[in-house]
Amino acid sequence: MSEQTTAVLQRWNDLPWEQLNSNIDRRLITGTHMMIAQIYLKKGGVVPMHSHHNEQITYVLEGALKFLLGAEQEEEVIVRAGEVLTIPPNLPHSALALEDTMDVDVFNPPRQDWLDGTDAYLRNDS
């Protein structure tokens, strides 16, 4: 990825939603070193357990997500509207939408699997 040398203004409403499965949609904006994603999860939507080398910050705008953290999914954290969860690199995690939820995820570096479509764990209905 080449270095960006000029500022770029983007509007979420101008970007198309990508439907990953029947319960999860997203749209992405990627810079040189970071990615921001707007994620919509219907109540009951599941993000299966996974991990990645990217640091992740999840900011819930509406709704609530129940995260299970750790290799044994031993830690539970509920993140509600107005709350932010920071997930360090390589920490296994999953999420369940407790209600219809809109969140913003920020990744450093950008998620290559999301850019090239190799994120199969998100593309199946659970």
Side-chain angles (χ1 to χ4, degrees):
M1 185 178 290
S2 62
E3 290 287 324
Q4 191 172 314
T5 59
T6 59
V8 177
L9 173 65
Q10 299 192 54
R11 293 175 182 84
W12 284 120
N13 289 338
D14 292 343
L15 300 174
W17 284 101
E18 176 185 14
Q19 183 174 20
L20 300 171
N21 62 51
S22 62
N23 291 311
I24 303 174
D25 299 301
R26 74 174 172 213
R27 41 191 175 188
L28 306 173
I29 296 173
T30 304
T32 304
H33 301 286
M34 293 188 297
M35 167 187 282
I36 188 168
Q38 192 175 59
I39 313 288
Y40 175 73
L41 301 96
K42 291 180 185 171
K43 181 178 180 177
V46 173
V47 176
M49 186 173 76
H50 66 287
S51 64
H52 40 75
H53 72 276
N54 319 74
E55 183 176 26
Q56 175 178 342
I57 297 174
T58 296
Y59 172 30
V60 175
L61 300 172
E62 301 172 4
L65 294 174
K66 178 171 74 172
F67 282 87
L68 297 177
L69 307 168
E72 303 299 321
Q73 302 284 266
E74 62 271 14
E75 183 181 356
E76 178 181 304
V77 178
I78 296 177
V79 185
R80 300 184 186 285
E83 297 179 336
V84 178
L85 179 65
T86 301
I87 302 173
N90 303 309
L91 177 67
H93 56 283
S94 63
L96 169 67
L98 299 177
E99 49 194 87
D100 288 350
T101 300
M102 179 75 70
D103 79 64
V104 172
D105 290 343
V106 178
F107 297 98
N108 181 28
R111 291 284 304 269
Q112 189 59 44
D113 61 331
W114 286 21
L115 294 172
D116 63 24
T118 59
D119 51 355
Y121 74 98
L122 281 174
R123 296 180 180 274
N124 296 316
D125 282 315
S126 302

